[in-house]
Amino acid sequence: MQEEHDLPNRILRALRFRPKGMTITEVAKQLGVTRNSVSKHLEILQVAGKVDVRQIGNAKLYSLAQRVPISAFLCFTKNLIIILDADQRIVQVNDQCLRHLLRSKDDLIGRTIQEAALPVVSSPEALAVIEGLEREQVVADIRYARDDGEFFYQMQAIPTTFEDGEKGCTLVLEDITERKRYVSDMEFLARTGRDFRDMDVTDDIYQYVAQELYTLAPGFLVWVGIIDESDQILILKSVVGNPVAIAVTEQFVGMKVEGMAFPITKADTAELIRHLKLVKGPPLYRLMHMEIPEESCQQVEEAAGGIDTYLMGLVSRGRIVGDVGISIQAGTELPNRGLIEAFVRQAAIAIDRKIADDRLRQSLAREQEQVRNLLFLSRTAMDFIEMEDSVDIYHYIGDRLHDLTPDSIIFVCTLDAERREIRFRGVVGDREQIERLQGVIGTELIGIPFPLSEMLLSGSGVSTDRIFESPSLYDTFFHQIPEEHCVQAETELGLGRGFGRNFSCREGVSGCIMIKLTRPGDLANREVIEAFANQASVALLRRRARGNLLRSERRFRDVIDSSPFAAAIIDSDGRYTYLNRAFTDLFGYTLEDIPTGKNWFRLAFPDPVCRRKAIAVWKTDREQAGPGRPRLRTFQVRCRDGKEKTIRFSPVELSDGTEYVTYEDVTEERRVYRTLVGEIAGLRKK
């Protein structure tokens, strides 16, 4: 009997050293007892939960149950443990659970979980898991919401067998709220990190950062400020928050909050953005860098019922690029503090990169603009050089200026200093706008002379060689168009500011350009306009000089053409550039017959010997006489009709190497001379 009583312990010792398990036969053989006895005791041990059994084919394989006594289990774990019987009555709870639930054992033991009205485990989700529990344990995440927030638990429902063989259930609850949040936070930061990475140049990163911060800490206002190092100011790039709070703030401070700028040169204000963590900020007056009246700041705080503001610097690579501010109701706790700080650090790097990228793009844009400007000026310079006199240079100037300032109307004027008047030579811009303008002012402008004295009275600064501003359309038209018409035109066409630039040269001002913007804002491309105006000034001077020269040449040729003496103009390279009518009448040759000196000598001196002699004499006389001194020589020249004439040549070399040659027919004079010489000789013989 003693051996039979000790048999359960012997069976447990045998199984302890066979972790893979033993069959009934193996246990009986090892202990030297019958199979029936071993089988009976194994069933009792299984019911007691001390052994586990697995079915392998027809055989049952027994092993020690890996279980810990409930008393020990309840003590060493930090989780919340509730043990239920088959009727879901509470059998046992551990101390951690009692402290967490703020309940005593007397309140819970013997009650069902529905009667105890326990949080979390009495929820429909938890009850569904418990009621559906079978042989295997079940793990489920339970969400529980209460007034102070949202909490998460992981619940393990474990089938349990008591020592008396009764079935039950052990609930193990682990508070995973914080874990659910370093996961939620990581998901948030992963998403924002992707968003920062995928942003393009059109996305407003400051608005994005402010909006995400407001999502994490909803309250009154959230703002993002950026430092402009060149001007030493802090600019509020984005402000997000409660619309009422924003409206009240703007009402009291008297301006739009977004875009406000504050100086940061003072040590006490600059220090506000040097925080690497969220810190509670000073009152609104100091937050506004003392740029807003203190009374107005106090009114804003009173209207909000008190404001607590938290600040944190945007720090990247050890450098402050700006700050963020969060304003909430005074006395309330700032939520998601750790996540906000992590996000601000993440945003600081993204904003710093954004600023660097923007600067790089701006630098590249400036370089590209400079290249475009150089190409523009290079093209216009070549156009001015190659421009024929038949081209309307004034309209060309207006077109190119309109290329530089598309939203404008361009007026190109010339100045006649002798007549003391100015005239509009070209009006360029949108055709419909020009027609509306001319309809309002009642004139087409082109060709109308305006007295110079009125232009001076208008204050347009005609003596300057820089871009000047013309205050109104009335001034642009030099007070020659009724002022009420000018005001009407400005209103109907929505005209903006006006600018002017003179055409200046060595001789003074030859005209000007007037630019009237058809949009608000300032004049762009000033440097290019200045350079182009200088080009145009030179081109107009060249055209005027060329016109004067052409008129002078025409007068000179008219004089030569009316001369009774034959004359020719020969360039320094031997080309005949002009023959007067008397030359053609005398010799019969035209410019087509003798385009060069070589052609002249070949036709006028067909005999080679005579030709070489004439050429040699011509060269010798030219070298000996020099510029400005006439040379007289007489040659026998063959005309186009084959007749020969005795011609007295009178060539004069001008200062530029050109030769002006006159030709006198002395054939009859020589014939008479030879006759007289013959008669005199005959008389002497007699």
Side-chain angles (χ1 to χ4, degrees), residues 242 261 414 502:
N242 185 302
T414 58
N502 295 314

Side-chain angles (χ1 to χ4, degrees), residues 11 58-59 94 108 127 144-145 189 214 233 247 261 287 301 383 412 428 437 439 456 474 495 611 621 631 668:
I11 293 173
N58 294 326
N94 66 349
L108 301 179
L127 290 174
Y144 176 64
L189 293 173
Y214 190 68
I233 57 175
L287 282 175
E301 291 173 324
D383 288 347
V412 184
V428 178
L437 172 65
L456 292 173
Y474 183 55
L495 300 180
R611 186 187 314 135
D621 287 350
R631 311 185 303 272
E668 185 63 24

Side-chain angles (χ1 to χ4, degrees), residues 162-217:
F162 298 103
E163 291 187 0
D164 59 2
E166 186 179 349
K167 302 295 183 179
C169 171
T170 299
L171 302 180
V172 181
L173 296 170
E174 180 183 2
D175 187 347
I176 59 171
T177 302
E178 289 302 317
R179 187 193 312 167
K180 275 281 189 181
R181 288 174 180 169
Y182 291 142
V183 174
S184 177
D185 291 356
M186 290 301 295
E187 289 175 349
F188 175 86
L189 293 173
R191 175 180 63 80
T192 55
R194 288 193 301 270
D195 291 344
F196 284 132
R197 181 197 64 196
D198 297 337
M199 279 186 181
D200 58 28
V201 296
T202 61
D203 292 320
D204 188 340
I205 189 172
Y206 310 110
Q207 177 74 12
Y208 174 83
V209 171
Q211 189 62 59
E212 291 296 332
L213 284 172
Y214 190 68
T215 301
L216 295 175

